[in-house]
């Protein structure tokens, strides 16, 4: 029976395939009429020039141009530039500008809020005030190799995000270059997505996660930013091979993150600018707030005001194989329980560890305990910093070392590494992207 049915099925499909065609559009008008009259599978090729208006795509068509960037969609400063109402849509090689700035109305360069599937947005250039690309409720989506720019004349809070995924599944966001928007890539209530090989700069947050699970964030690069990666209220995240450079507040911010793996990431230079300094605002390489049951391993944290800060019950986390270098404060830990930061005899590298390795096994012979009671006193009463070098404080610290029972619970690394893991690997693509930003 299957053999008899196959020719019949092919014959049924042939008329639809035969009807698919390539349609040519010009800037003289009539693009919306052409979009409305197209059928699934058609290709609409835009001739070079400017197409003014707010266009709606209802069918599974491809909208493209021969020379990337030669066809410009100008939305006239209002609404969405392209509104997608169907599945199987391809948007490629276009330049999209000047859409609306109403964030409440979710104005975007490219917008879809239907339960659409198989949408590909690739090799486009977008510049505008509102959201760059907003995709909602869809699945099997691809956003690849686009350049997105916001309006730097607006306050950061008044700009839209570069790429926003809301309640989507099985999306791939890769190879995009995003700058001067509010956040680079914002993901909320979404599952099974891959965020990979994107470059993000001059933003609030590079990648921002909310209420999502089972996502992968790999090999991205965020620089000149307030926080490279803000991971919030999510679980089962795999965050690996990413880089954060020149952030002001955080390299990685983890707020209520559980059952996640943060590994092989590189964080360098997290420092609050002098003009933004206030009491309690310090650059943190890793900030872990109310998060537990995670693995933090083989990351490099270099030149942050605080290497890693844990607070608000952030426990049951495995921390090993990391490199903490050139951080004035390596660890700030606010809790009443001791945590062991090593696994299977492997701890972390601490650039200020002063112990010995007499048996030459690559591990220090004495544990590394970065904080004492004086540190906690200063965290509670920052004004006490002026007394840190006083004889009384030095005597108190000596007494704590001589009588460990007086030392409060904190972080303990029983197997500190004498050398940083060599090397902390990163993909070739990230190395190429970061070559000019060392």
């Amino acid at each position: 029976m299957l053999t008899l049915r196959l020719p019949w099925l092919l014959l049924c499909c042939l008329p639809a395939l035969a009807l698919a065609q390539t349609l040519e559009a010009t800037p003289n008008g009539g693009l919306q009429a052409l979009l409305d009259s197209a059928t699934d599978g058609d290709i609409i090729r835009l001739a070079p020039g400017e197409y003014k208006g707010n266009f709606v795509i209802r069918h599974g068509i491809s909208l493209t141009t021969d020379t990337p960037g030669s066809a410009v969609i100008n939305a006239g400063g209002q609404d969405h530039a392209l509104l997608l109402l169907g599945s199987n849509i391809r948007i490629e090689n276009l330049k999209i500008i000047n859409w609306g700035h109403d964030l409440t109305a979710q104005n975007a360069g490219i917008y879809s809020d239907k339960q659409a599937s198989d949408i590909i947005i690739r090799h486009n250039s977008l510049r505008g005030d509102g959201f760059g690309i907003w995709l909602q409720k869809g699945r099997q989506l691809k956003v690849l190799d686009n350049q997105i720019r916001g309006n730097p004349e607006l306050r950061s809070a008044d700009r839209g995000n570069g790429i926003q995924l809301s309640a989507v599944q099985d999306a791939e966001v890769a190879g995009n270059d995003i700058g001067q928007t509010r956040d680079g890539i914002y993901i909320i209530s979404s599952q099974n997505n891959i965020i990979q090989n994107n470059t993000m700069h001059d933003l609030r947050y590079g990648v921002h996660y909310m209420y999502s699970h089972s996502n992968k964030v790999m090999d991205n690069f965020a620089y000149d930013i307030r926080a490279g990666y803000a991971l919030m209220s999510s679980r089962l995240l795999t965050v690996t091979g990413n880089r954060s450079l020149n952030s002001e507040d955080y390299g990685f911010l983890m707020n209520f993150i559980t059952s996640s793996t943060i590994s092989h990431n590189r964080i360098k230079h997290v420092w609050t600018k002098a003009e933004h300094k206030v009491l309690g605002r310090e650059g943190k390489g890793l900030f872990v707030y109310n998060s537990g049951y995670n693995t933090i391993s083989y990351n490099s944290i270099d030149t942050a005001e605080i290497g890693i800060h844990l607070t608000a019950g952030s426990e049951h986390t495995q921390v090993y194989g990391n490199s903490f270098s050139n951080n004035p404060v390596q660890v700030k830990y606010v809790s009443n329980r001791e945590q062991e930061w090593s696994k299977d005899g492997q701890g972390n590298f601490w650039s200020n560890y002063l112990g010995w390795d007499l048996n030459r096994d690559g591990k220090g012979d004495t544990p590394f305990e970065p904080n004492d009671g004086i540190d906690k006193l200063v965290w509670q009463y920052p004004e006490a910093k002026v007394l840190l070098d006083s004889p009384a404080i030095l005597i108190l610290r000596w007494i704590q070392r001589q009588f460990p029972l007086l030392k409060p619970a904190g972080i303990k690394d029983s197997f500190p590494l004498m050398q940083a893991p060599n090397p902390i690997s990163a993909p070739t693509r990230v190395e190429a992207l970061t070559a000019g930003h060392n």
Side-chain angles (χ1 to χ4, degrees):
M1 290 296 295
L2 181 61
T3 305
L4 294 174
R5 284 183 178 180
L6 280 175
W8 180 82
L9 289 172
L10 290 173
L11 287 172
C12 289
C13 294
L14 282 177
L17 294 173
L19 289 174
Q21 55 187 320
T22 298
L23 308 172
E24 305 290 339
T26 66
N28 299 326
L31 176 56
Q32 185 61 61
L34 199 60
L35 291 169
D36 290 340
S37 64
T39 59
D40 291 347
D42 283 353
I43 299 172
I44 297 181
R45 183 178 289 117
L46 303 183
E50 186 173 73
Y51 297 76
K52 295 183 178 181
N54 309 98
F55 300 101
V56 181
I57 301 176
R58 296 179 172 86
H59 307 290
I61 58 100
S62 295
L63 187 64
T64 185
T65 186
D66 287 338
T67 304
S70 63
V72 180
I73 304 292
N74 186 339
Q78 62 183 359
D79 298 331
H80 312 302
L82 294 177
L83 173 60
L84 314 185
L85 298 181
S87 298
N88 301 302
I89 295 173
R90 310 287 185 269
I91 308 295
E92 297 179 313
N93 298 329
L94 304 181
K95 182 176 182 179
I96 302 171
I97 63 172
N98 196 26
W99 56 88
H101 59 270
D102 188 338
L103 303 185
T104 303
Q106 303 172 358
N107 289 167
I110 301 174
Y111 186 88
S112 171
D113 70 344
K114 304 300 180 183
Q115 293 183 341
S117 62
D118 295 301
I119 292 177
I120 298 177
I121 301 170
R122 179 167 50 198
H123 293 303
N124 301 286
S125 170
L126 299 96
R127 181 180 292 272
D129 294 352
F131 298 90
I133 298 171
W134 181 300
L135 302 177
Q136 185 165 296
K137 302 178 183 177
R139 61 187 311 152
Q140 300 293 339
L141 314 172
K142 293 183 182 294
V143 183
L144 309 174
D145 302 312
N146 302 281
Q147 183 189 78
I148 302 172
R149 293 291 182 270
N151 183 354
E153 296 181 2
L154 297 174
R155 294 186 314 150
S156 175
D158 294 332
R159 308 173 200 168
N161 300 315
I163 298 171
Q164 177 132 347
L165 304 180
S166 177
V168 305
Q169 298 182 48
D170 304 311
E172 179 184 0
V173 179
N176 301 284
D177 182 335
I178 307 168
Q180 300 174 333
T181 60
R182 182 170 59 195
D183 296 340
I185 302 172
Y186 181 90
I187 304 101
I188 183 168
S189 302
S190 299
Q191 298 84 44
N192 301 315
N193 304 297
I194 297 176
I195 312 300
Q196 186 172 25
N197 283 333
N198 300 284
T199 302
M200 301 154 291
H201 53 92
D202 302 294
L203 309 162
R204 182 182 66 166
Y205 303 149
V207 174
H208 188 178
Y209 263 94
M210 293 291 294
Y211 309 114
S212 299
H213 68 79
S214 307
N215 286 263
K216 295 181 179 180
V217 183
M218 305 185 299
D219 313 332
N220 301 284
F221 176 36
Y223 67 93
D224 295 343
I225 206 163
R226 281 185 56 189
Y229 304 84
L231 314 174
M232 302 183 184
S233 302
S234 298
R235 59 188 173 88
L236 296 172
L237 301 181
T238 299
V239 184
T240 185
N242 302 285
R243 187 174 183 191
S244 175
L245 175 67
N246 291 340
S247 55
E248 186 168 3
D249 292 328
Y250 311 100
F252 281 73
L253 165 63
M254 299 170 60
N255 180 4
F256 196 46
I257 295 298
T258 58
S259 305
S260 296
T261 299
I262 315 297
S263 70
H264 294 92
N265 302 290
R266 291 181 293 168
I267 301 167
K268 186 170 183 179
H269 202 272
V270 188
W271 217 272
T272 303
K273 296 177 183 177
E275 60 269 27
H276 296 157
K277 276 287 186 185
V278 294
L279 190 63
R281 183 177 180 182
E282 299 159 309
K284 302 169 179 67
L286 288 167
F287 181 61
V288 186
Y289 182 90
N290 194 28
S291 298
Y293 302 96
N294 300 300
T295 297
I296 300 174
S297 61
Y298 302 106
N299 303 286
S300 171
I301 300 93
D302 185 347
T303 317
E305 290 180 273
I306 298 175
I308 179 170
H309 181 183
L310 288 88
T311 188
S314 296
E315 299 169 353
H316 304 289
T317 293
Q318 294 184 333
V319 183
Y320 62 92
N322 302 286
S323 172
F324 294 90
S325 303
N326 307 313
N327 308 307
V329 176
Q330 296 279 40
V331 178
K332 184 174 180 179
Y333 173 65
V334 182
S335 180
N336 294 320
R337 295 184 181 181
E338 182 174 294
Q339 288 199 45
E340 172 61 43
W341 279 8
S342 64
K343 181 183 179 184
D344 299 330
Q346 182 185 32
N348 305 273
F349 172 75
W350 309 92
S351 60
N352 61 334
Y353 176 66
L354 301 177
W356 300 91
D357 179 18
L358 297 179
N359 61 358
R360 299 183 180 180
D361 65 352
K363 303 168 187 175
D365 296 330
T366 58
F368 178 75
E369 298 178 274
N371 305 132
D372 58 19
I374 302 303
D375 292 326
K376 294 195 172 186
L377 179 67
V378 171
W379 297 337
Q380 189 172 0
Y381 304 102
E383 299 84 356
K385 284 184 177 180
V386 297
L387 302 174
L388 283 179
D389 293 327
S390 68
I393 294 297
L394 295 176
I395 291 172
L396 284 173
R397 281 191 156 150
W398 180 84
I399 291 173
Q400 283 186 125
R401 290 194 297 271
Q402 302 307 311
F403 301 96
L405 289 176
L406 301 177
K407 189 175 185 298
I411 298 301
K412 181 179 180 181
D413 183 346
S414 297
F415 305 96
L417 303 176
M418 300 303 293
Q419 293 184 341
N422 184 32
I424 295 203
S425 61
T428 303
R429 181 175 173 84
V430 170
E431 293 290 352
L433 287 170
T434 61
H437 299 278
N438 292 317

